[in-house]
C-alpha cells in the first residue's frame, strides 16, 4: 500500500540516482504458501520492471541491494538460489534490458562468490558495457562498513608509502576510494526506497546516503511495478532538499 497518495508528474525533475533495498521477497512468497525462493524469483522480475520504468523516466542510476555481506548467514538452499539469480538475469531479463539500453554494473565484491555466478555477472556486465541509458548497479556481496574499512585501508596504505599526505584526505578523496567511485558525480543517491515496511538501512551505502531523501513503503518488493515505482518517485518530487541550508 502506498502511504502518501501523490501522483507522479513527468514535468517535474526525477532523482538522478535511486538506491533500492528490495525487501519482502520471503514474506511475499510465504503469504502465498510458496517457498521463499519464489519471492526472489519474482523479485528479479520486479527489478526488471523497475529498471525499465526508471530508464523511461530518465533516471540515470538505480543501485539495487541484491545480496548483502550479511546474507551469507541465510540457509544454504536460499544462498544457492540467490547465487543462481545472475544466470536468470542473463537468460530471462537481459534481452529486455538491452532493448532499453540499460547498462549493468556491480558494487560489492565477487570474492567468495562461486565461479559460475561470477561468470554470469561478468557476462551481464560485458554484454551491456556499451549501453548508454540507465545504469543498473547491482549491489552484490556488498556491505557498507566493509567498504568503508577497505577505503580507509587503501588510503592509509598510500599515506604509508608516501604517495599521500594526511592533510590530503578529504571527503572527495574518501568518496573516490569507495566502491561506487566509478559512478563519478552520480555516486550519492538522491533517493532511497525500501520496500516491505521495514525502516532501517541494513548496512547499505552508509556514506553515500548522507543527504539522500528516504522513503519506506509497505509494498513488498515482488509487487513493485511501474505504477508503484512512479508513486515512490512522486514522493521524491514533493520533497524539499536543503542539504543543511535554510532555503
Ligand atoms: C530481501 O528480501 C531480498 C534479498 C535478500 C534478495 C533480493 C534480490 C532480488 C530481488 C533479485 C536480485 C537480482 C540479481 C540480478 C542478483 P527478504 O528475503 O529478506 O524478504 P523478507 O524480509 O520478507 O524475508
Amino acid at each position: 500500500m502506498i502511504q502518501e497518495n501523490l501522483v507522479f508528474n513527468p514535468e517535474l525533475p526525477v532523482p538522478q540516482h535511486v538506491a533500492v533495498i528490495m525487501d519482502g521477497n520471503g514474506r511475499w512468497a510465504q503469504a502465498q504458501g510458496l517457498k521463499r525462493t519464489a519471492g526472489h524469483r519474482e523479485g528479479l522480475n520486479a527489478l526488471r520492471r523497475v529498471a525499465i520504468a526508471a530508464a523511461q523516466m530518465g533516471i540515470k542510476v538505480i543501485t539495487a541491494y541484491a545480496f548483502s555481506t550479511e546474507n551469507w548467514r541465510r540457509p544454504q538452499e536460499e544462498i544457492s538460489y540467490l547465487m543462481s539469480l545472475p544466470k536468470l538475469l542473463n537468460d530471462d531479463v537481459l534481452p529486455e534490458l538491452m532493448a532499453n539500453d540499460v547498462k549493468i554494473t556491480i558494487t560489492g565484491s565477487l570474492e567468495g562468490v562461486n565461479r559460475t555466478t561470477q561468470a554470469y555477472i561478468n557476462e551481464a556486465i560485458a554484454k551491456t558495457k556499451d549501453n548508454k541509458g540507465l545504469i543498473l548497479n547491482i549491489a552484490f556481496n556488498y556491505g557498507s562498513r566493509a567498504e568503508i574499512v577497505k577505503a580507509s585501508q587503501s588510503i592509509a596504505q598510500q599515506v604509508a608509502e608516501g604517495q599521500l599526505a594526511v592533510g590530503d584526505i578529504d571527503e572527495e578523496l574518501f568518496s573516490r576510494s569507495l566502491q561506487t567511485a566509478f559512478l563519478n558525480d552520480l555516486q550519492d543517491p538522491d533517493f532511497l526506497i525500501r520496500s516491505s515496511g521495514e525502516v532501517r538501512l541494513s548496512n547499505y551505502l552508509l556514506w553515500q546516503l548522507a543527504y539522500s531523501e528516504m522513503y519506506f513503503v509497505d509494498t513488498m518488493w515482488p509487487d513493485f511495478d511501474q505504477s508503484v515505482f512512479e508513486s515512490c518517485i512522486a514522493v521524491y518530487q514533493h520533497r524539499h532538499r536543503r542539504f543543511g541550508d535554510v532555503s
Side-chain angles (χ1 to χ4, degrees):
M1 190 181 49
I2 296 292
Q3 291 148 340
E4 295 175 53
N5 209 11
L6 300 171
V7 177
F8 170 66
N9 181 349
E11 306 294 318
L12 290 175
V14 293
Q16 297 202 84
H17 181 175
V18 180
V20 186
I21 302 180
M22 307 182 284
D23 200 8
N25 293 349
R27 277 166 288 161
W28 179 90
Q30 282 165 334
Q32 303 179 59
L34 301 170
K35 283 170 81 174
R36 292 177 53 82
T37 48
H40 297 313
R41 180 67 188 84
E42 191 50 33
L44 178 63
N45 265 332
L47 182 58
R48 173 183 51 77
R49 293 190 289 267
V50 164
I52 289 166
Q56 290 169 358
M57 289 159 99
I59 289 169
K60 297 206 166 121
V61 184
I62 294 274
T63 296
Y65 210 0
F67 192 87
S68 76
T69 45
E70 289 71 33
N71 286 153
W72 292 110
R73 297 179 191 145
R74 294 193 173 202
Q76 191 51 49
E77 188 197 346
E78 187 168 341
I79 294 174
S80 299
Y81 189 80
L82 289 167
M83 290 296 146
S84 75
L85 288 175
K87 175 175 178 353
L88 287 176
L89 170 74
N90 274 275
D91 294 350
D92 296 356
V93 177
L94 218 55
E96 213 176 330
L97 295 185
M98 283 300 284
N100 282 272
D101 209 18
V102 175
K103 173 174 171 159
I104 305 268
T105 60
I106 290 287
T107 286
S109 163
L110 293 185
E111 240 172 72
V113 172
N114 72 67
R115 278 175 196 277
T116 313
T117 303
Q118 284 191 32
Y120 281 115
I121 290 174
N122 287 329
E123 192 178 324
I125 294 171
K127 278 187 186 154
T128 60
K129 73 175 184 359
D130 296 323
N131 289 352
K132 299 279 182 282
L134 174 92
I135 296 175
L136 176 56
N137 184 31
I138 298 176
F140 198 83
N141 195 19
Y142 173 81
S144 187
R145 287 184 170 181
E147 174 192 35
I148 289 170
V149 168
K150 271 207 173 116
S152 308
Q153 286 171 339
S154 143
I155 291 168
Q157 184 72 37
Q158 293 171 62
V159 172
E161 288 169 4
Q163 296 163 13
L164 204 63
V166 169
D168 293 335
I169 305 170
D170 58 11
E171 292 182 13
E172 204 205 312
L173 180 118
F174 202 87
S175 290
R176 277 192 277 114
S177 309
L178 295 171
Q179 293 168 358
T180 44
F182 70 93
L183 294 166
N184 298 315
D185 58 334
L186 288 174
Q187 65 175 299
D188 290 344
D190 302 293
F191 193 38
L192 168 79
I193 301 168
R194 182 173 187 144
S195 56
S196 90
E198 304 292 346
V199 184
R200 54 177 174 268
L201 290 180
S202 302
N203 200 18
Y204 197 43
L205 302 171
L206 301 179
W207 172 281
Q208 295 89 335
L209 290 171
Y211 277 102
S212 310
E213 294 297 322
M214 298 186 187
Y215 185 45
F216 301 89
V217 63
D218 286 344
T219 311
M220 297 288 158
W221 179 253
D223 287 329
F224 256 70
D225 59 12
Q226 179 178 2
S227 128
V228 176
F229 186 65
E230 281 184 0
S231 308
C232 294
I233 299 303
V235 170
Y236 175 86
Q237 290 181 319
H238 289 81
R239 296 274 175 93
H240 301 283
R241 302 185 76 189
R242 289 191 288 273
F243 300 99
D245 203 342
V246 287
S247 57

